[in-house]
Amino acid sequence: MANALRLGIAGLGTVGGGVLDVLQKNGATLALRAGIPVEVTAVSARNPSKKRTQDISKLAWFDDPVALAMSDGIDVLVELMGGEGDPARSAVEAALKSGKPVVTANKALLAHHGVALAKLAESKGVALAFEAAVAGGIPIVKTMREALAGNRTGKVFGILNGTCNYILTKMGDEQRSFSSVLAEAQELGYAEADPTFDVGGFDTAHKLALLTSLAFGTEVSLDDIDIEGIESITLEDIGNASDMGYMIKLLGVAVAHEEGIEQRVNPTLVPKGSPVADTSGVFNAVVVKGDFVGDLFLEGRGAGAHPTASAVVSDIVDVARGNLRPVFGIPAKDLRAYRRAPAKAHVGGYYIALELHDRPGEVAAIARILADEKISIASIVQRAPRSEQPRTTAPFILITHDTLELSMRAALQRIERDGHAASKPRMIRIERL
Amino acid sequence: MANALRLGIAGLGTVGGGVLDVLQKNGATLALRAGIPVEVTAVSARNPSKKRTQDISKLAWFDDPVALAMSDGIDVLVELMGGEGDPARSAVEAALKSGKPVVTANKALLAHHGVALAKLAESKGVALAFEAAVAGGIPIVKTMREALAGNRTGKVFGILNGTCNYILTKMGDEQRSFSSVLAEAQELGYAEADPTFDVGGFDTAHKLALLTSLAFGTEVSLDDIDIEGIESITLEDIGNASDMGYMIKLLGVAVAHEEGIEQRVNPTLVPKGSPVADTSGVFNAVVVKGDFVGDLFLEGRGAGAHPTASAVVSDIVDVARGNLRPVFGIPAKDLRAYRRAPAKAHVGGYYIALELHDRPGEVAAIARILADEKISIASIVQRAPRSEQPRTTAPFILITHDTLELSMRAALQRIERDGHAASKPRMIRIERL
């Protein structure tokens, strides 16, 4: 290695700029921590003439990130382009094949091709580091891969998307609808023009797939995640949940069961006062349950140029210090095949929102159906309708004790089939943590 | 290195037993994560014939931990005896001098001799790892030393002693006095027979001194910490704080000022709903403020055999993987000399509890004195005395806006000197986080 660690950065967007900021501001201390000066020598981006806050005129410019990856002028490829396909994928493969360590923030690439890329990196004996790909500035990858090395993890879950958490927080704090807050988030740049990837839960799923592999030593399996977004969450849901002592958060949850692994992304009721419930705004949070450490909770900024750059630089220092670990904690060849737990494996409490016909016997009928399915009720809220208009239906909200998901679904099917509900019943999981 | 990483454990108490438990239960996965099997080959403890849950009959026994440290039969010394002096110190020195990495949970040793030991370890090119010395299972050392490598830290603070947090939590939840809860904690084994080291804030100070060095790249300086324990916290304080929206926690706080570094351990009012306020019972929590990552919060079990063993094993795997870092993040020779910030540097809010003579003009006099010192009042609570007896004095509680510590102290001196207070005024800092 030269007398400096030479970085080639592919992608000079928000995060790329953040990394340049870190090196510029804290470069001296960084050299002491890394044991060698760290400098960017080459870059690749879409537009050479784009106005940038940093001066990149002295850096070698590559139009083709793959050429950058193979260049002898760099020791490490820092891939910040994003996207599961090319050019990110081919650039990362090219760097690894040429024996260069890769630091990336690309969750999509790893969620889709993580195991193959890990095998390639490990066969070459170089690092493929992705701290920045999950929960931004929160060092959850290093924590699970290194700090919890002595533990068997039983469960990992968290708030992994700041946009969704911002929207849900604002809805509750300001009593505003999903669409109104989303529009504001888009103006503020917290949400994309097409918000589906965030609010639909897909971004959370990508990150969860990587945490699941780190947690259980299994192959990454994005396709085995049940995904549900926050689009259907109403102010009424948030209000009802609050009355019963809960907040609604979009959680990514992975649990190891006897029968296999359960991975899901869905809006979830979490008890007020719990760390996850208190994680508000754009912040992210992760809870890991290890057999020796117990419950470990991390909270921090899950996105943004500087928090994400902090994670990227952490990986760069690991490379400089020769801290070489298997990409997913254990060698990729030893990762167990992913086995999906049957839906029945899930046991938990549920929030059920029904719109019942306002006529005698309906509540009794609901109670009977739940009893038939051996579902016991923890609490019931029947709210006065908000409108002044006379109504033929009434909202009926209940929270159940722990029950099998299958029983819950069966009960809701009967409630619909027997015509008790004026609109489709809504069900939200409860995570008692 | 042999075909296994051979550990010599000095000290087979709670944590030592926990480490044996981890290796026994998760040894197979650990070998994959470490890249080599990890096994204990030799031990040293006070009493060879003591009854233990683990079978140590096949391990080499050393009466003298120094002899264990120098033994050719081990690759790593795991020092779990504790204590700043011998035999811990001499055993650690012996291991480092013979070129052996050391993993220790010994906060006292590092708080007193950390820099000298770090220089020795770095001169030999071996690790001196101490994750378990601070906040038990919370990977705060790895986080500050590695994950935040790109950051300049401005402030680090947290709940670092589970015994104090357990006592304060119980006092508030069950409306019981300090002494009553302490007695219970001693029965349950959460507090020592002589609780001074914990409740007096000294344990927290030892841990804070290490975090301060990691945070600011300065030499460890235990002597520069202002230490105040929780013995004087009353149920009234907790009640008053709660009325005003705060919880009382024992915090260790380190801040980098222009004029130098501020380190203090004291009971502190923290806003309800903040992560630190929600950290209850025996749990520990740390907040780090980095210039790029922003606020990072970690919460977990700060003590106990298994959480602490989890941290010890994390260090062992670092050794196995050759993840060699400067002990305090940057080389010990580059650590800056510690410069203590003058008391006036501290600016913050204060909780003031006064017992005023029940006569006209007293409140006015207090208000005047505070005004003279340019201290503005955020809120006032004058509680009805709890006893039925007629009283000649009345409790007077106030919370100030941010003010200089010197002004606050001057005001309290005047209040005492002018005879307004029937008993010594009490002042508790507020950390708005």
Side-chain angles (χ1 to χ4, degrees), chain A residues 142 146 149 278 318 325, chain B residues 33 142 146 278 318 325:
Chain A
K142 179 176 277 286
E146 303 179 19
D278 287 335
D318 273 341
R325 308 288 179 127
Chain B
R33 292 177 179 152
K142 179 177 277 287
E146 304 179 18
D278 288 335
D318 274 339
R325 306 288 179 127

Side-chain angles (χ1 to χ4, degrees), chain A residues 69-149:
Chain A
M70 294 188 296
S71 155
D72 294 337
I74 69 169
D75 303 307
V76 183
L77 175 70
V78 181
E79 188 278 302
L80 304 174
M81 297 178 287
E84 66 181 90
D86 294 335
R89 183 182 185 180
S90 48
V92 167
E93 285 174 347
L96 295 175
K97 280 177 183 156
S98 64
K100 288 194 189 70
V102 171
V103 171
T104 180
N106 192 332
K107 54 191 176 289
L109 177 67
L110 285 157
H112 286 92
H113 312 295
V115 176
L117 291 171
K119 284 177 177 166
L120 173 57
E122 289 163 21
S123 72
K124 294 292 187 171
V126 295
L128 171 58
F130 61 95
E131 185 63 77
V134 185
I138 302 175
I140 187 61
V141 174
K142 179 176 277 286
T143 295
M144 294 181 72
R145 187 162 50 188
E146 303 179 19
L148 301 184

Side-chain angles (χ1 to χ4, degrees), chain A residues 127-129 142 145-146 314-326, chain B residues 142 146 317-319 321-325:
Chain A
L128 171 58
K142 179 176 277 286
R145 187 162 50 188
E146 303 179 19
S314 162
D315 282 342
I316 291 168
V317 173
D318 273 341
V319 169
R321 285 284 176 189
N323 180 23
L324 183 59
R325 308 288 179 127
Chain B
K142 179 177 277 287
E146 304 179 18
V317 173
D318 274 339
V319 168
R321 284 284 176 190
N323 179 24
L324 183 59
R325 306 288 179 127

Side-chain angles (χ1 to χ4, degrees), chain A residues 262-421:
Chain A
E262 171 188 5
Q263 281 188 108
R264 52 192 167 77
V265 173
N266 48 238
T268 312
L269 270 68
V270 293
K272 284 181 183 175
S274 64
V276 171
D278 287 335
T279 302
S280 56
V282 296
F283 276 77
N284 281 197
V286 184
V287 177
V288 188
K289 293 174 177 283
D291 55 354
F292 282 91
V293 77
D295 282 17
L296 185 64
F297 174 76
L298 289 78
E299 178 183 353
R301 299 194 170 273
H306 285 177
T308 310
S310 169
V312 170
V313 170
S314 162
D315 282 342
I316 291 168
V317 173
D318 273 341
V319 169
R321 285 284 176 189
N323 180 23
L324 183 59
R325 308 288 179 127
V327 177
F328 292 102
I330 65 173
K333 63 172 176 50
D334 296 313
L335 290 170
R336 279 176 289 107
Y338 187 94
R339 192 155 55 92
R340 183 185 184 129
K344 68 169 170 55
H346 178 77
V347 175
Y350 292 89
Y351 160 99
I352 305 297
L354 302 168
E355 192 68 26
L356 295 186
H357 295 294
D358 201 355
R359 60 195 177 203
E362 288 301 306
V363 172
I366 301 300
R368 158 89 357 242
I369 291 174
L370 294 174
D372 290 348
E373 296 293 342
K374 306 208 171 13
I375 297 167
S376 70
I377 300 171
S379 54
I380 293 179
V381 168
Q382 185 142 22
R383 283 196 148 190
R386 297 189 174 209
S387 74
E388 294 308 311
Q389 324 295 340
R391 296 173 52 148
T392 62
T393 66
F396 184 78
I397 313 297
L398 56 88
I399 291 214
T400 76
H401 286 297
D402 281 2
T403 179
L404 282 171
E405 176 164 357
L406 281 197
S407 313
M408 198 66 246
R409 294 199 178 279
L412 291 184
Q413 274 168 21
R414 266 187 64 189
I415 289 169
E416 270 196 276
R417 193 194 58 211
D418 300 358
H420 299 295

Side-chain angles (χ1 to χ4, degrees), chain B residues 96-147:
Chain B
L96 295 175
K97 281 177 181 157
S98 65
K100 287 193 189 72
V102 171
V103 171
T104 179
N106 192 333
K107 54 190 176 289
L109 178 66
L110 286 158
H112 286 92
H113 313 294
V115 176
L117 291 172
K119 285 176 176 167
L120 173 57
E122 290 163 20
S123 71
K124 294 292 186 172
V126 295
L128 171 58
F130 61 95
E131 185 63 77
V134 185
I138 302 175
I140 187 60
V141 173
K142 179 177 277 287
T143 294
M144 295 182 72
R145 188 163 51 188
E146 304 179 18

Side-chain angles (χ1 to χ4, degrees), chain A residues 102-264:
Chain A
V102 171
V103 171
T104 180
N106 192 332
K107 54 191 176 289
L109 177 67
L110 285 157
H112 286 92
H113 312 295
V115 176
L117 291 171
K119 284 177 177 166
L120 173 57
E122 289 163 21
S123 72
K124 294 292 187 171
V126 295
L128 171 58
F130 61 95
E131 185 63 77
V134 185
I138 302 175
I140 187 61
V141 174
K142 179 176 277 286
T143 295
M144 294 181 72
R145 187 162 50 188
E146 303 179 19
L148 301 184
N151 290 265
R152 175 183 301 269
T153 303
K155 180 175 186 176
V156 59
F157 66 94
I159 296 170
L160 301 174
N161 181 275
T163 305
C164 291
N165 206 49
Y166 172 85
I167 292 173
L168 291 172
T169 303
K170 277 266 179 180
M171 285 175 71
D173 291 351
E174 301 174 4
Q175 291 299 300
R176 290 163 53 196
S177 72
F178 171 79
S179 52
S180 139
V181 176
L182 173 59
E184 184 192 71
Q186 286 169 318
E187 284 166 27
L188 293 171
Y190 293 164
E192 306 290 333
D194 174 1
T196 315
F197 188 67
D198 287 321
V199 301
F202 304 102
D203 172 76
T204 299
H206 281 82
K207 296 162 177 171
L208 179 65
L210 301 177
L211 293 184
T212 301
S213 180
L214 287 164
F216 310 128
T218 49
E219 294 184 338
V220 184
S221 182
L222 182 60
D223 303 339
D224 286 298
I225 304 180
D226 296 319
I227 304 175
E228 186 187 326
I230 64 170
E231 306 94 328
S232 66
I233 299 300
T234 66
L235 265 181
E236 284 67 26
D237 292 328
I238 292 175
N240 294 329
S242 180
D243 293 347
M244 295 167 165
Y246 295 90
M247 311 267 289
I248 298 181
K249 299 291 185 182
L250 181 72
L251 295 189
V253 182
V255 189
H257 297 284
E258 280 299 317
E259 311 88 336
I261 291 170
E262 171 188 5
Q263 281 188 108
R264 52 192 167 77

